[in-house]
Amino acid sequence: MDKNKLLTKKPQKSPYHPSTGTLDWLKKNLFSSWLNTILTFVFATIITFIGIGSVKWIFLTANWHVISANFRLLIVGQYPIAELWRVWICLTLVSFLIGLSWGLWKGTMGHLTIAVTSMYFIVGCLPFILMETRIWLLINIAVIGATYAVGKKWSKLKKSTLIGWFLMFPITIFLLNGFGVLNHVGSNLWGGFLLTLLIAIVAIVFSFPIGLLLALGRRSKLPIVRWFSIGYIELIRGVPLITILFVAQLMLPLFLGNGIDIDNVFRAMVGFTLFTAAYLAENIRGGLQSIPRGQFEAAEALGLNTTIKMTFIILPQALRAVIPAMVGSFIGIFKDTSLVAIVGLTDLLGMGKNIISNPEFLGTQMEVFIFVALVFLIFCNLMSYASRRIEQSLGVGKR
Amino acid sequence: MRRRLIALLSFLLVFSVVLAGCSEKEAKVTKSRLEVIKERGKVVGGVNADIPGFGYVESDGSYSGMDVDITKAIAAAVFGDATAVEFRPLSAEERFIAVQTGEVDVLARNTTLTTSRDASVGLAFAPVTFYDGQGMIVRKDSGIESLEDLEGARISVESGTTTELNLADQMRKLGISYEPVVFDSQDAAVAAYEQGSVDAYTTDRSALVSRRTTLSVPDDHVILSEVISKEPLAPSVKDGDSKWQGVVTWTVYTLIQAEEYGITQDNVDTFLDSEDPEIRRFLGVEGDLGEQLGLPKDFAVQVIKAVGNYGEVYNRHLGPDTIFDLERGLNSLWTEGGLHYSPPFR
């Protein structure tokens, strides 16, 4: 009887009632208690003040003319105007490869391509951009579209596209410098974001093999190789990057004597590469240590020699495990490139510092530094987004 | 264990051979910087890329400023071509090392001539190109009219500069207690002053004048008339190369002498057939002053054609037509009560 009564009783309202409207959400998240209500009002006031101040500054006070008048300087530095087409060709080649990769691999590449294309589009729409620049940007967008179609159709192009990416780097350096075939443009004229990007790419591309060798060297059974690797890694990791840059920029010429003259951009690139390599080596070593002994023993039991064992069994697993750590290093190095402004190179930040000293633009440091920060923000976010997608597609953390 | 030892020894052997190779190379180089520059085909000038009026980058990417013009004048003296110059922007920290190592041939970067820099840093200075002095800017409504009024004030200053040391010296001498607020850049120090978190800001007077124009209401601020220190700014080269130092020195004197003679960029050609023997010698129409310096005969003509005389250089970057409108003052010729004076060209 009691039991029956219990069953026939109207079912109680479930304690969980999903909120439906905005009001519910507000009540639950912002005004759930009197303490929260006070906090909400306090912070709303602060945010409003900051918001109004920022908007006022951005639209009324700030003198954005400093950016528009010096846009070229900020992006490519003092690269001669007559030779700018070379930079454009490099960019077009990159667009070509991006488009192809999008067509071939889809997925992650698609998101990145859209990001790049919209960046071209936004820059092209800026009111102060020269007609010539607009045409080049338009060509770039068209190239991306065309090569996407090509890549989608011919999936056999994967290998050649990868080779293309690897060739891209020497081609860029060749085009930018000229090396006697084209007019020589010394690296003292490479500046702005172009220099930032070049230093970062050189450091990333070249530090990877060096770091890999150092990581393997540190685990080697050969004493000299092991000592050297340990010594190198600990030495570099024990000093700040800026001291390495100072050594590269200032002490190296002192050691080399008067006869030898090494380009100072090249020295900065070498400094960055050596620095990144040491950190990368430790990242990769972490990956190597995470591989269970069984994998090594199994490979040895199959009679594989060390090279094959490493390239096909150990490294693929080890590297996959440390992608997040490596990308973290890469993003770090990309931002660290701004340190070259201290040793007198005119990267994006260095150029910004020079521009605000132009009597015409005195007192515009806020505008310039905000622009510089924005550029770094966009590119660092693109990098970390790409790495997240690569992790997902490789199944890091799932397998 | 023995294998390790052998390995270590062989490593040391290789290393020492490499080192020996290096030192041999160094011993060989003794020729003057001037020869090196002539072979290279351009002068490498260490400049400042971020001091308004003295060295900065124009929107078209070219360097401009008073120090930049001095460097161009040197290139014009050597090659007869003011564009035969490569500018190397230098930070305050690296400037001296860059000269010592030969990274740059000449340093024209707002460098104050001091005893220790001449003696122990290993620089050799050319004549002063700009007589600066440290000054102090305060708000008009603060009622501060002299350094004595700064008792207990907060003063913002750039760290690591002679400015910071001069301020401390001067205030100690006057027995004034104050609170230094140190920043690592001029921009930050000025920003703190403008926001009112400090009462005064001190730096070289030339910089104060330019900074004052960027404050939101320049007329609310006043630069105290007292000069805290002497800051003679001069180009410098590496010590121990008198030939190259001579070229730089006499290029600077050329600028000053040209103003004294009234020779300008525009009228220099009309002076070529002047009867005055002094001017004829100066412009290389007569005599061999150029050859003695290791320069072309007409180096003075080239210098003047390239950048003009000292007054023209000054007015172009700091004069009444610029936003700085800085009075010549000490930087006038000796004939007009200033300090610029060139020894005779003969």
Side-chain angles (χ1 to χ4, degrees):
Chain A
M1 189 59 186
D2 269 346
K3 208 178 172 187
N4 231 348
K5 209 175 177 182
L6 214 70
L7 279 174
T8 50
K9 203 178 168 189
K10 228 180 160 188
Q12 270 185 341
K13 216 177 168 191
S14 119
Y16 172 73
H17 31 116
S19 50
T20 41
T22 327
L23 270 178
D24 272 351
W25 185 91
L26 281 178
K27 199 175 169 197
K28 209 171 121 197
N29 290 293
L30 298 176
F31 304 104
S32 55
S33 67
W34 62 270
L35 191 69
N36 278 355
T37 311
I38 292 173
L39 278 180
T40 302
F41 277 116
V42 169
F43 280 100
T45 324
I46 294 173
I47 290 170
T48 319
F49 267 109
I50 294 175
I52 291 175
S54 315
V55 169
K56 248 191 195 161
W57 185 82
I58 290 172
F59 291 102
L60 298 175
T61 325
N63 171 17
W64 294 110
H65 176 61
V66 61
I67 303 297
S68 59
N70 296 297
F71 196 69
R72 182 175 67 84
L73 276 184
L74 286 165
I75 302 300
V76 293
Q78 286 145 301
Y79 206 87
I81 299 180
E83 308 288 339
L84 263 186
W85 58 271
R86 300 195 210 167
V87 182
W88 281 117
I89 297 239
C90 292
L91 189 69
T92 314
L93 285 175
V94 171
S95 300
F96 182 86
L97 289 171
I98 287 180
L100 263 184
S101 314
W102 181 21
L104 290 168
W105 283 283
K106 320 232 165 46
T108 315
M109 270 321 287
H111 294 265
L112 284 182
T113 316
I114 289 164
V116 172
T117 317
S118 41
M119 212 142 48
Y120 288 161
F121 185 74
I122 292 170
V123 172
C125 287
L126 293 174
F128 51 82
I129 295 291
L130 293 174
M131 206 55 217
E132 202 188 324
T133 312
R134 278 193 199 153
I135 292 169
W136 273 107
L137 285 171
L138 204 68
I139 291 174
N140 271 283
I141 295 175
V143 163
I144 289 183
T147 46
Y148 168 66
V150 172
K152 217 174 163 187
K153 248 187 176 167
W154 285 285
S155 52
K156 282 177 197 156
L157 287 171
K158 277 189 183 176
K159 211 180 224 168
S160 10
T161 310
L162 277 180
I163 295 173
W165 277 114
F166 279 107
L167 285 180
M168 193 58 229
F169 180 69
I171 291 175
T172 308
I173 298 291
F174 171 78
L175 274 173
L176 289 182
N177 188 300
F179 288 112
V181 184
L182 300 161
N183 287 337
H184 176 79
V185 178
S187 59
N188 61 314
L189 296 176
W190 305 0
F193 189 59
L194 177 72
L195 185 66
T196 300
L197 216 53
L198 275 177
I199 294 177
I201 290 172
V202 167
I204 290 168
V205 169
F206 287 95
S207 66
F208 184 71
I210 300 175
L212 192 62
L213 288 178
L214 283 170
L216 294 175
R218 197 167 178 170
R219 288 166 61 89
S220 166
K221 291 188 185 75
L222 307 170
I224 291 196
V225 174
R226 192 173 65 238
W227 290 347
F228 173 78
S229 303
I230 292 176
Y232 176 86
I233 293 171
E234 294 309 328
L235 178 74
I236 299 279
R237 293 206 316 157
V239 293
L241 175 54
I242 189 71
T243 42
I244 293 180
L245 284 178
F246 270 123
V247 168
Q249 292 296 321
L250 307 172
M251 302 315 287
L252 205 64
L254 213 58
F255 297 152
L256 287 175
N258 280 337
I260 312 159
D261 193 20
I262 305 177
D263 189 281
N264 63 344
V265 170
F266 180 71
R267 289 202 304 259
M269 286 175 173
V270 171
F272 269 99
T273 309
L274 296 181
F275 183 80
T276 324
Y279 278 84
L280 216 53
E282 286 299 274
N283 284 343
I284 296 173
R285 193 168 69 97
L288 289 172
Q289 276 171 345
S290 73
I291 307 298
R293 270 212 78 70
Q295 296 283 328
F296 290 87
E297 284 161 2
E300 275 155 22
L302 283 172
L304 302 179
N305 66 26
T306 314
T307 322
I308 296 180
K309 181 181 75 182
M310 276 298 167
T311 14
F312 293 104
I313 312 284
I314 308 300
L315 281 179
Q317 304 183 62
L319 291 181
R320 205 186 64 198
V322 292
I323 285 176
M326 284 200 297
V327 175
S329 296
F330 291 155
I331 292 178
I333 214 68
F334 179 69
K335 287 185 292 184
D336 286 346
T337 53
S338 52
L339 284 176
V340 296
I342 299 175
V343 291
L345 294 187
T346 46
D347 73 321
L348 182 59
L349 182 66
M351 192 46 88
K353 274 168 65 183
N354 294 352
I355 286 169
I356 53 181
S357 306
N358 188 338
E360 210 182 318
F361 303 111
L362 276 179
T364 52
Q365 58 266 28
M366 276 292 264
E367 289 86 341
V368 171
F369 289 146
I370 284 178
F371 175 80
V372 171
L374 193 71
V375 173
F376 273 105
L377 187 74
I378 291 171
F379 276 82
C380 289
N381 272 310
L382 273 183
M383 278 167 88
S384 67
Y385 173 75
S387 99
R388 275 204 307 277
R389 300 291 305 208
I390 292 169
E391 280 164 40
Q392 274 171 21
S393 61
L394 289 175
V396 177
K398 282 180 192 156
R399 273 193 276 173
Chain B
M1 193 58 218
R2 228 176 79 196
R3 250 180 45 202
R4 283 188 183 183
L5 203 69
I6 289 170
L8 192 70
L9 283 178
S10 53
F11 177 71
L12 282 178
L13 191 73
V14 171
F15 194 63
S16 55
V17 167
V18 171
L19 275 185
C22 290
S23 58
E24 217 171 297
K25 225 170 272 162
E26 229 167 336
K28 199 164 64 175
V29 183
T30 45
K31 58 182 167 185
S32 168
R33 180 65 36 179
L34 183 61
E35 310 300 319
V36 178
I37 292 165
K38 280 181 177 166
E39 274 168 35
R40 193 199 296 136
K42 65 184 174 196
V43 176
V44 181
V47 294
N48 199 325
D50 49 18
I51 291 210
F54 289 88
Y56 58 90
V57 177
E58 294 266 20
S59 291
D60 66 359
S62 61
Y63 285 95
S64 183
M66 195 158 150
D67 283 340
V68 170
D69 273 1
I70 303 283
T71 319
K72 281 184 185 165
I74 295 166
V78 178
F79 298 109
D81 177 9
T83 59
V85 54
E86 181 184 318
F87 292 107
R88 184 72 55 82
L90 293 173
S91 62
E93 294 85 11
E94 63 177 339
R95 55 183 167 175
F96 299 132
I97 302 172
V99 179
Q100 287 159 359
T101 58
E103 276 272 291
V104 297
D105 302 323
V106 56
L107 178 74
R109 192 202 170 281
N110 288 66
T111 305
T112 306
L113 197 170
T114 66
T115 318
S116 63
R117 283 175 181 172
D118 198 358
S120 63
V121 179
L123 297 186
F125 283 91
V128 173
T129 51
F130 188 85
Y131 288 97
D132 210 341
Q134 189 175 333
M136 181 89 67
I137 191 167
V138 294
R139 266 173 287 275
K140 241 178 208 165
D141 57 16
S142 67
I144 298 171
E145 278 166 4
S146 69
L147 290 180
E148 277 81 9
D149 297 336
L150 283 165
E151 180 70 41
R154 287 163 60 83
I155 302 172
S156 70
V157 61
E158 244 179 301
S159 67
T161 55
T162 47
T163 320
E164 188 187 354
L165 305 174
N166 291 335
L167 177 69
D169 284 354
Q170 186 72 19
M171 295 309 236
R172 200 176 67 187
K173 201 168 83 186
L174 295 173
I176 301 167
S177 64
Y178 70 103
E179 189 184 337
V181 184
V182 179
F183 293 91
D184 68 346
S185 83
Q186 244 188 42
D187 289 329
V190 174
Y193 169 70
E194 188 166 20
Q195 282 155 17
S197 62
V198 295
D199 303 307
Y201 166 60
T202 179
T203 191
D204 291 351
R205 286 168 68 88
S206 60
L208 277 186
V209 172
S210 70
R211 288 289 166 183
R212 183 165 167 259
T213 60
T214 69
L215 298 172
S216 51
V217 189
D219 286 339
D220 283 357
H221 305 270
V222 57
I223 297 173
L224 297 184
S225 59
E226 284 149 298
V227 176
I228 298 175
S229 72
K230 293 186 283 189
E231 302 279 346
L233 309 180
S236 51
V237 298
K238 190 177 176 179
D239 213 353
D241 188 346
S242 57
K243 191 157 183 138
W244 174 232
Q245 190 192 353
V247 170
V248 176
T249 302
W250 286 95
T251 306
V252 175
Y253 282 145
T254 301
L255 296 172
I256 296 168
Q257 188 64 60
E259 189 181 8
E260 197 182 324
Y261 286 143
I263 305 175
T264 66
Q265 208 165 4
D266 298 326
N267 70 12
V268 58
D269 284 328
T270 64
F271 276 87
L272 285 177
D273 34 70
S274 155
E275 296 295 319
D276 187 339
E278 277 182 27
I279 291 180
R280 287 174 74 83
R281 260 199 313 276
F282 175 61
L283 295 178
V285 184
E286 254 173 39
D288 62 346
L289 293 177
E291 279 104 67
Q292 286 178 28
L293 287 168
L295 295 174
K297 213 174 158 69
D298 64 338
F299 75 96
V301 179
Q302 298 299 338
V303 167
I304 299 163
K305 273 189 179 160
V307 298
N309 63 36
Y310 181 83
E312 287 178 282
V313 172
Y314 186 97
N315 286 337
R316 195 178 307 137
H317 301 293
L318 304 166
D321 295 336
T322 64
I323 58 165
F324 308 124
D325 190 12
L326 201 60
E327 266 178 55
R328 283 287 290 267
L330 289 179
N331 290 298
S332 309
L333 290 182
W334 64 289
T335 48
E336 287 152 25
L339 290 174
H340 285 298
Y341 176 95
S342 164
F345 276 74
R346 70 178 306 140

